[in-house]
Amino acid sequence: MAEYKCPSCNADINTSDGKIKCPACGNVYDEETLREYEGELKRKSFEKIEWGDYSPSGRLSEGYLFYSCKDCGGRFFTLKGQEDVGEERCPYCDTALTPQKEKLSALKPDTVLPFVLDKAAAGETMRRFCRLKPLLPNDFAGDSRAEEIKALYVPFWLFSCEAKGRLRSDGVKVRKQKDGDVDVTNTDHFMVIREGSAVFSDIQVDGFSAMPEKYMRTISPFDTSAGKEPGNKEFSGVLAETGDIDSETARPKADKTVKSGLEKLLSSTMSGYSRLNVQSREISTQNGKITLAMLPVWILSTQYGKKTYRFVVNAVTGKCAGELPISKARLAAIFGGITAGVTFIGFIISLFL
Amino acid sequence: MKTFVGIIHKSRRALVLMLSVCCVVFLWHSDPAYAQSEYTVYDYAGVMSESAEENISESAKKLIKDSGVDAAICTTNSLEGLTLPEYAKKVFSDVNAGISKDKDGILLLISFDAMHSGKGGREIYFYTNGYAKNGGFNEYGIERISGLVMDKLSGGDYEGACVEWLTLSGKFLKAAKDGKPYSADNRYKTGGDYLAGFLVSFAAGLIIAAGVCFVMIRMMRTSAPKDDNADYVKRDSFSVTKQRDIYIYSTVKRMKRESAGKKTIDE
């Protein structure tokens, strides 16, 4: 005699009399379904996401000049020979950069993405963003600011893997019908199981913390298909951020992308249900790989008042993110003008009511 | 003797003159065209001071002079079993209020009957007669004035309320005479109404300005981080290797519809 729990009301039911009918709620089951159902309940959720260790392809030291910013702590390097010594300014805070005399090095990136947008195109993107902004201070508007936009390589960790997953959900299909003066609601309960796999390629996670993450997520993703191994010229005449986030620190964000991405894909195949409630997830990865990439951006940082405002453009796609300063005088004038105007018109209308 | 006869003769002439004047005054007063109530305030409830009554009478004189409509005010603790309109009509008639053949006049009745019997609070009734009823005041005017007077009365300022009633009545009568009577289409506005109009407009201005400035401030920054993990899934790499939809059980709910919108549930 086999004993089961009723999936509907959790009452004990047995198959001794040949019928599998719950004595409490009256639902009827076939034994194979109950066996599979209870077997599924015993499976536990797990996540086993492995990327392997990051092995750097080398370090950049000889032939490179390193800078640091005394103000914001930003650290950069560029190829010697093309630098503008004494004139380089920090892309993050616009402070003069100090060349480092001691011997320094930076991780050699596995891939470098070339600039697609030139300075003029990036400046035009900035000018477009500044248009129709009544709150922009007078001394900020105009072409001169767009001329100050700087090229910068920023480090990103790229995570790639093959992910497998299994998702089990409770699915409900609701049917409503009328029977005379009675509304009848039939609710069918299903156990919905999906197994599948997907390849995640070049999940991009910031390798530096100087820029607000929301800005970088806004301008991401970069199309890394055009990436190439760095030679000697990539960092010629352009600053590159050395980065301050290692691959281990960046991993949790990549893990989250894989977990939620695969769950979303599997859930998208569970169609036809009124409601779905995920009960268990089993996710694992294989052939994980971590690489370091240098991705190109155009960046403008400017001090206004006591705050530093940053504007960044993806130098491949042209997507932009950032913040512009607000003129308090203009804000006050617009607020006061609208208030006075609406008050006047409203008062005149009230006289005729 | 001659002097005495002369004095008598002169006194007779003076007496005749005096009697004549008295007759004229009597006739003038007894002419229905000029009749009006002897007093303005009939404070049967005893809620007003002598000086208050004098002030009110002064205001009433101005109204009567400017509009030619008589005005009387009555306070009472009991309606003697009558309704407000019935009692007001009775008082108006009893005190012989009203000017001209049509008895043009108005009366403000302030009753404490309901208050004393525990059935409510102060009540007022604005009674109109003659021209005041047929042209001087319309329904809007009576309601508007009554409302404003009631506001004043709620503070216990009987003198102020009565003076306000007389002043407002004067304004409404003047507007009616000028051919622009106050009505639902030509509302009478107090300073409070203008202030309220200004404050509502000002509040609307603040809200709209705040909304516009909020949008403008939002326009000053652009960052819309998206959580599209699909960006990193290699094209055509996703495949489903197992797909099971196992039917477990069903539940049925039956709900009887009732006309009142209530439902009974039967599972």
Side-chain angles (χ1 to χ4, degrees), chain A residues 7-8 27 29 33 36 129 132-133 135-136 166 179-204 214 218 221 257 260-261 265 273 321-325 335 338-339 342-343 346-347 350-351 353, chain B residues 185 187 189 193-195 197-198 201-206 208-210 212-213 216-217 219-235 237-258 263:
Chain A
S8 175
N27 270 304
Y29 306 96
T33 302
E36 190 172 0
F129 181 59
L132 299 172
K133 299 282 191 297
L135 298 180
L136 199 64
R166 187 178 201 276
D179 181 12
D181 62 346
V182 176
D183 289 331
V184 182
T185 307
N186 287 289
T187 308
D188 298 331
H189 295 259
F190 291 81
M191 178 179 273
V192 189
I193 298 163
R194 295 289 184 273
E195 286 180 14
S197 63
V199 176
F200 285 82
S201 177
D202 291 348
I203 297 168
Q204 294 162 20
K214 61 180 180 180
T218 301
T257 302
S260 57
L265 287 169
Y273 292 94
E323 190 177 357
L324 296 172
F335 187 87
I338 293 172
T339 304
V342 173
T343 303
F347 185 65
S350 77
L351 294 180
L353 294 177
Chain B
D185 298 327
R187 291 169 186 274
K189 286 184 178 157
D193 293 328
Y194 290 114
L195 183 65
F198 174 79
S201 305
F202 184 62
L206 285 177
I208 292 170
V212 170
C213 288
M216 285 183 174
I217 290 169
M219 283 166 59
M220 298 303 280
R221 64 175 83 104
T222 169
S223 64
K226 53 176 189 156
D227 233 348
D228 197 353
N229 305 310
D231 285 337
Y232 301 115
V233 177
K234 198 171 177 180
R235 184 175 291 186
S237 71
F238 174 61
S239 62
V240 178
T241 51
K242 184 178 180 181
Q243 192 163 333
R244 289 270 289 143
D245 294 64
I246 308 164
Y247 169 75
I248 308 294
Y249 65 95
S250 293
T251 55
V252 180
K253 274 185 186 173
R254 301 174 69 83
M255 299 170 85
K256 191 172 182 183
R257 286 192 303 277
E258 287 178 9
K263 290 183 173 181

Side-chain angles (χ1 to χ4, degrees), chain A residues 130-145:
Chain A
C130 289
R131 269 179 215 147
L132 299 172
K133 299 282 191 297
L135 298 180
L136 199 64
N138 284 336
D139 56 347
F140 194 86
D143 291 349
S144 58
R145 293 285 176 172

Side-chain angles (χ1 to χ4, degrees), chain B residues 144-169:
Chain B
R144 185 80 174 105
I145 293 172
S146 300
L148 292 168
V149 168
M150 204 63 188
D151 289 346
K152 209 81 175 190
L153 269 182
S154 61
D157 182 9
Y158 296 102
E159 180 188 345
C162 292
V163 171
E164 177 87 349
W165 174 71
L166 291 163
T167 310
L168 288 170
S169 296

Side-chain angles (χ1 to χ4, degrees), chain A residues 109-170:
Chain A
D110 302 291
T111 183
V112 176
L113 207 58
F115 279 77
V116 175
L117 296 184
D118 60 10
K119 187 171 183 173
E124 181 54 31
T125 303
M126 164 121 197
R127 272 190 288 273
R128 253 198 327 267
F129 181 59
C130 289
R131 269 179 215 147
L132 299 172
K133 299 282 191 297
L135 298 180
L136 199 64
N138 284 336
D139 56 347
F140 194 86
D143 291 349
S144 58
R145 293 285 176 172
E147 292 300 317
E148 293 170 19
I149 202 161
K150 293 182 177 72
L152 179 70
Y153 268 114
V154 288
F156 270 78
W157 294 105
L158 307 183
F159 295 82
S160 302
C161 69
E162 293 168 27
K164 284 183 181 174
R166 187 178 201 276
L167 202 63
R168 176 169 59 82
S169 299
D170 282 348

Side-chain angles (χ1 to χ4, degrees), chain A residues 96-352:
Chain A
L97 289 173
T98 311
Q100 299 295 287
K101 288 175 182 170
E102 61 269 34
K103 196 175 180 183
L104 296 171
S105 67
L107 281 174
K108 185 182 177 186
D110 302 291
T111 183
V112 176
L113 207 58
F115 279 77
V116 175
L117 296 184
D118 60 10
K119 187 171 183 173
E124 181 54 31
T125 303
M126 164 121 197
R127 272 190 288 273
R128 253 198 327 267
F129 181 59
C130 289
R131 269 179 215 147
L132 299 172
K133 299 282 191 297
L135 298 180
L136 199 64
N138 284 336
D139 56 347
F140 194 86
D143 291 349
S144 58
R145 293 285 176 172
E147 292 300 317
E148 293 170 19
I149 202 161
K150 293 182 177 72
L152 179 70
Y153 268 114
V154 288
F156 270 78
W157 294 105
L158 307 183
F159 295 82
S160 302
C161 69
E162 293 168 27
K164 284 183 181 174
R166 187 178 201 276
L167 202 63
R168 176 169 59 82
S169 299
D170 282 348
V172 165
K173 289 183 180 177
V174 179
R175 286 173 289 123
K176 290 185 176 176
Q177 59 195 68
K178 288 177 181 174
D179 181 12
D181 62 346
V182 176
D183 289 331
V184 182
T185 307
N186 287 289
T187 308
D188 298 331
H189 295 259
F190 291 81
M191 178 179 273
V192 189
I193 298 163
R194 295 289 184 273
E195 286 180 14
S197 63
V199 176
F200 285 82
S201 177
D202 291 348
I203 297 168
Q204 294 162 20
V205 181
D206 294 11
F208 67 116
S209 60
M211 282 293 283
E213 194 192 348
K214 61 180 180 180
Y215 290 175
M216 300 317 291
R217 276 174 57 206
T218 301
I219 67 168
S220 293
F222 291 75
D223 178 6
T224 50
S225 60
K228 55 184 182 182
E229 276 191 42
N232 286 328
K233 291 184 180 175
E234 278 75 15
F235 305 115
S236 172
V238 58
L239 285 177
E241 149 87 51
T242 56
D244 57 357
I245 295 175
D246 61 27
S247 61
E248 277 302 305
T249 310
R251 269 186 60 165
K253 286 178 185 166
D255 292 358
K256 191 180 164 196
T257 302
V258 170
K259 280 188 283 187
S260 57
L262 190 57
E263 185 175 327
K264 214 180 209 179
L265 287 169
L266 291 171
S267 295
S268 68
T269 65
M270 298 176 174
S271 55
Y273 292 94
S274 311
R275 287 193 306 274
L276 280 164
N277 189 15
V278 176
Q279 295 299 309
S280 78
R281 301 169 180 83
E282 297 168 27
I283 291 174
S284 62
T285 61
Q286 59 185 22
N287 299 326
K289 192 175 107 182
I290 306 172
T291 53
L292 179 64
M294 280 292 186
L295 306 180
V297 296
W298 288 97
I299 182 169
L300 176 68
S301 297
T302 188
Q303 287 281 132
Y304 189 80
K306 290 178 181 174
K307 194 176 169 186
T308 302
Y309 293 86
R310 288 176 185 148
F311 184 79
V312 62
V313 181
N314 182 323
V316 178
T317 63
K319 274 196 259 181
C320 63
E323 190 177 357
L324 296 172
I326 292 168
S327 162
K328 285 180 184 170
R330 285 188 165 212
L331 181 63
I334 290 170
F335 187 87
I338 293 172
T339 304
V342 173
T343 303
F344 177 73
I345 294 167
F347 185 65
I348 296 294
I349 291 170
S350 77
L351 294 180
F352 293 98

